[in-house]
Amino acid sequence: MDQSENTTANPRIAAGAETISDIIERRLSRRGFLGGLTAVSGLALAACAGRPVDAAAAAAHEMKRPAPAFSFPEIARALDQTHHVSEGYRADILLRWGDPLWADSPAFDPLNQSAEAQRRQFGYNCDYVGFVTLDPDTDGAPRGLLCVNHEYTSTQLMFPGIREDDPAGITREIALTEIAAHGGTVVEIRRSAEGWKPVIGSPFNRRLTADTPMQITGPAAGDARLVTGEDPAGRNVLGTMNNCAGGITPWGTYLMAEENINGNFLGALPEGHPETDNHKRMGVPGGWYGWGKFIDRFDVSKQPNEPNRFGWIVEVDPQDPASTPKKRTALGRFKHEGAESVVAPDGRVVVYCGDDQRFDYVYKFVTAGRYVPGETNADSNLLDDGTLYVARFNDDGTVTWLPLVFGPGPLTPANGFSSQADVVIEARRAGDLLGATPMDRPEDVEPDPKTGRVYVMLTNNDRRKPGEENAANPRHSNRFGHIIEITEPGGDFASETSTWEILVRCGDPSIAEVGATWNPLTTENGWLASPDNCAIDAQGRLWVSTDGNDDTGAADGLWALETDGQRRGTGRHFFRCPIGAELCGPRFTPDGETLFLAVQHPGDGEGANFESPTTRWPDFSDASPPRPSVMVITRIDGGVIGG
Ligand code: FEO
Ligand code: CA
Ligand code: CA
């Protein structure tokens, strides 16, 4: 989710003016016009961009190029009302917002929604997609559990008669329905001759919502700052929300990352309340939703500690729908984008996390205990004990991982930290004091277990002023983001020192002022802006999805991105979203033959609402609003995605 209106800022960075945006805007307005033409061919676009259009010359040039790691036909950068996938592939809808998960689930009825129905249906704004392989069915059909986050609710797109920034229109039932539309879904899926389908009524199916009972574990569990009127023990919380990206652990549990939790809180703290600075650093209360009008715990004037119970990583056992999810506070509290993990050579598990806010940080958590294949399971509580580190990206190309540990250095009572609980609750402020590097909105952070490399998506940061650049965030007014590649020495993901380099500065390479650094082999369709989520496929190849590529006049989507050899830094466009949507997921099955994508907030846009969305994808019925959906991508002739 793009939080461009969220003004919460790292206090180490002041707000300020931009200098080159006007130039870029002028150039992009031309590109935006091109992007809106859905039928523009690649050659026509090439001509407009001043590139060679002679087919024979282009073919001859192509012969001299090093072989690409990807062989799929590239799609055009463009923007229209539906999705598009590379030729030779099929893109099918698997699950839409409101689809039933059980035989008794009410049918989707957009004019008569209720919390009761929503709790039995697929939630809104699908984001993270995880896949846990199950044993094949009795007939040999492949099966798996899909674990899908539902990040947030777009009230004015979901419900009739609601206008953005009009909390007066929110009813109690709307607030409760939104609470039921947040969280996540665990659903069994099965592949037959007709392709992957959800198993309606599977005993694995589960909805997790913003009022599902959960347990708080780790250093902050039971701390006074987590105590509320409803929970005097500070150990039991209702719900998870704003679940953005996530991860599947080596032992098969599902990690849900709580991101922009601030928006769901209303009210004002009493003057001089001790949580004032802490809440301000997290942007609490954001006041984007009306929940606090009806439910006291979302009003900070009534329950000032409730926000401290969100902003964590939640661990769920997807194979046990009766299990109690656990908020693992050892991994810190901030706007967690994701939680991808990997096993270090000595067996410790490393979880990488981005804090998606302008000028916030990249983290990794290293468990104290070791993962033992076949023994470590959902009850192992491995994520309750370990060291949380925040990254300092040094100018010399090294990364220093700074431990967020109470006691040594500045994390002491003199600076307001009286325990490790304080350190994890205020991980951002701890990172400030340790001298972490303020980044350009860190989103997905994905380790590659085979190479020891880790890819960091930095979406953008248009508020970085001239003079505030650093080596790892080299552009001020960074509207289009960049991707950093960290190398863990010898594949030791637990190392306290790593190296880094920028894989690519994103944006339009034909506009010099943008400062993009694509490999020149990238075509006019192969560059992207605002990288958000990513995946590494079974062949070790990197795929990147975007949230904000529409700022360049073309839809968000998925690009393959080469990371090795002479083609390193070459992008290739594979899939694009309908208008208004960002693309989340992506997730490959272990055989690389299926790719799941989450199309989030289709139909959104300036002034868009239930009555007047920018598209009615995927149903294209006047009776249906747009519906965020998970899609399944397969090759028509079978085989591995991407060639
Ligand atoms: Fe929820 Fe950072 O995107
Ligand atoms: Ca995003
Ligand atoms: Ca995201």
Side-chain angles (χ1 to χ4, degrees):
M1 179 185 184
D2 182 358
Q3 295 303 308
S4 55
E5 296 313 309
N6 187 337
T7 56
T8 310
N10 184 331
R12 295 165 64 198
I13 304 292
E18 301 165 358
T19 55
I20 63 167
S21 284
D22 289 347
I23 303 168
I24 296 171
E25 190 61 49
R26 203 162 52 245
R27 300 289 305 276
L28 280 174
S29 61
R30 175 179 65 85
R31 310 294 266 156
F33 171 72
L34 290 173
L37 299 177
T38 55
V40 172
S41 73
L43 283 182
L45 272 171
C48 293
R51 300 208 175 151
V53 294
D54 182 291
H61 184 59
E62 182 69 37
M63 289 173 64
K64 295 179 200 140
R65 293 178 177 179
F70 302 95
S71 60
F72 62 84
E74 194 165 35
I75 65 168
R77 291 175 57 84
L79 183 68
D80 66 12
Q81 300 223 330
T82 194
H83 64 273
H84 298 266
V85 69
S86 173
E87 187 181 343
Y89 292 80
R90 53 182 293 171
D92 300 307
I93 300 289
L94 181 70
L95 280 160
R96 301 163 296 181
W97 164 48
D99 274 347
L101 297 169
W102 292 274
D104 65 352
S105 299
F108 181 57
D109 182 357
L111 294 177
N112 297 288
Q113 297 175 70
S114 69
E116 188 183 1
Q118 182 64 81
R119 285 186 207 106
R120 307 287 287 171
Q121 298 166 338
F122 194 63
Y124 200 75
N125 271 346
C126 39
D127 195 306
Y128 175 75
V129 180
F131 181 85
V132 177
T133 304
L134 295 175
D135 291 336
D137 214 343
T138 48
D139 63 358
R143 297 187 308 148
L145 296 180
L146 215 59
C147 303
V148 182
N149 282 355
H150 302 295
E151 186 185 10
Y152 71 105
T153 44
S154 306
T155 320
Q156 76 279 4
L157 283 171
M158 292 173 72
F159 301 96
I162 301 294
R163 296 294 173 263
E164 196 169 15
D165 302 323
D166 177 24
I170 309 295
T171 63
R172 180 181 178 83
E173 192 60 33
I174 284 178
L176 293 174
T177 305
E178 289 189 286
I179 286 168
H182 271 247
T185 295
V186 178
V187 56
E188 182 184 342
I189 58 172
R190 184 179 182 279
R191 186 173 190 171
S192 66
E194 289 81 47
W196 287 99
K197 302 286 179 196
V199 179
I200 306 300
S202 161
F204 293 107
N205 291 1
R206 182 177 192 182
R207 275 303 322 283
L208 301 131
T209 76
D211 62 4
T212 300
M214 308 200 165
Q215 187 183 347
I216 299 168
T217 71
D223 189 83
R225 298 176 71 180
L226 270 63
V227 168
T228 66
E230 293 176 339
D231 178 24
R235 293 178 181 274
N236 301 289
V237 59
L238 287 178
T240 184
M241 59 195 190
N242 306 94
N243 307 89
C244 194
I248 300 293
T249 63
W251 51 97
T253 55
Y254 161 32
L255 300 182
M256 307 170 74
E258 297 183 330
E259 194 194 38
N260 298 300
I261 56 97
N262 54 312
N264 298 325
F265 292 95
L266 292 176
L269 287 178
E271 188 77 20
H273 192 280
E275 295 295 344
T276 301
D277 289 346
N278 171 36
H279 285 358
K280 189 174 178 190
R281 185 74 170 84
M282 284 287 282
V284 171
W288 307 338
Y289 296 93
W291 304 1
K293 285 174 28 182
F294 309 103
I295 300 140
D296 284 355
R297 67 193 180 100
F298 295 114
D299 181 340
V300 297
S301 72
K302 295 173 179 164
Q303 292 294 341
N305 283 349
E306 187 71 10
N308 287 343
R309 294 144 65 83
F310 294 88
W312 303 105
I313 294 294
V314 184
E315 184 173 15
V316 179
D317 179 2
Q319 307 227 29
D320 180 4
S323 60
T324 302
K326 297 186 173 79
K327 297 205 177 187
R328 301 295 192 184
T329 65
L331 280 76
R333 175 174 171 269
F334 44 89
K335 293 185 179 178
H336 280 278
E337 168 75 22
E340 296 285 4
S341 58
V342 66
V343 181
D346 67 2
R348 287 182 291 168
V349 177
V350 183
V351 185
Y352 291 88
C353 294
D355 181 353
D356 183 7
Q357 188 100 49
R358 295 174 184 85
F359 306 112
D360 265 293
Y361 306 133
V362 172
Y363 297 79
K364 74 176 175 185
F365 176 79
V366 181
T367 60
R370 287 166 168 72
Y371 168 67
V372 182
E375 287 186 21
T376 306
N377 58 38
D379 296 325
S380 298
N381 298 322
L382 211 55
L383 298 181
D384 280 343
D385 190 10
T387 305
L388 180 64
Y389 296 90
V390 66
R392 186 174 68 216
F393 291 82
N394 302 306
D395 291 357
D396 65 359
T398 60
V399 184
T400 305
W401 295 97
L402 306 158
L404 277 71
V405 175
F406 171 69
L411 307 183
T412 61
N415 285 314
F417 296 96
S418 61
S419 66
Q420 186 63 21
D422 285 339
V423 172
V424 293
I425 291 168
E426 295 188 74
R428 285 179 161 187
R429 193 166 69 85
D432 299 345
L433 290 165
L434 290 170
T437 302
M439 309 297 287
D440 288 346
R441 290 188 58 198
E443 301 225 47
D444 240 356
V445 183
E446 181 96 17
D448 180 346
K450 292 183 181 146
T451 62
R453 297 181 196 164
V454 183
Y455 293 95
V456 183
M457 305 296 116
L458 295 149
T459 287
N460 52 46
N461 183 352
D462 59 359
R463 292 185 195 156
R464 189 180 291 279
K465 292 187 298 183
E468 292 178 346
E469 304 91 339
N470 56 54
N473 301 272
R475 287 185 291 183
H476 64 81
S477 310
N478 180 8
R479 277 176 60 179
F480 309 113
H482 57 287
I483 297 172
I484 286 179
E485 181 185 76
I486 294 172
T487 301
E488 301 287 23
D492 181 7
F493 293 94
S495 175
E496 293 189 346
T497 307
S498 318
T499 57
W500 69 270
E501 61 181 282
I502 291 179
L503 174 60
V504 65
R505 301 184 196 181
C506 302
D508 186 343
S510 75
I511 302 176
E513 292 85 352
V514 167
T517 58
W518 295 97
N519 187 314
L521 297 175
T522 302
T523 73
E524 62 273 17
N525 298 308
W527 59 271
L528 62 88
S530 298
D532 183 336
N533 298 119
C534 64
I536 294 168
D537 67 17
Q539 289 72 40
R541 301 174 302 180
L542 180 64
W543 300 72
V544 176
S545 67
T546 63
D547 174 16
N549 188 69
D550 55 349
D551 193 27
T552 68
D556 278 309
L558 186 72
W559 281 258
L561 180 49
E562 304 205 32
T563 55
D564 290 294
Q566 289 176 283
R567 297 187 65 91
R568 178 176 163 87
T570 306
R572 195 176 179 103
H573 200 0
F574 180 75
F575 174 92
R576 73 173 201 252
C577 289
I579 187 170
E582 70 171 275
L583 190 66
C584 304
R587 176 64 48 196
F588 291 89
T589 50
D591 62 9
E593 295 186 1
T594 301
L595 167 62
F596 300 101
L597 298 174
V599 175
Q600 189 184 99
H601 56 78
D604 205 354
E606 191 73 33
N609 54 46
F610 182 93
E611 290 77 17
S612 185
T614 54
T615 178
R616 292 190 182 276
W617 185 91
D619 296 347
F620 295 106
S621 159
D622 288 345
S624 177
R627 301 170 74 179
S629 302
V630 171
M631 303 195 71
V632 187
I633 312 296
T634 49
R635 268 174 72 154
I636 291 169
D637 63 357
V640 169
I641 305 274

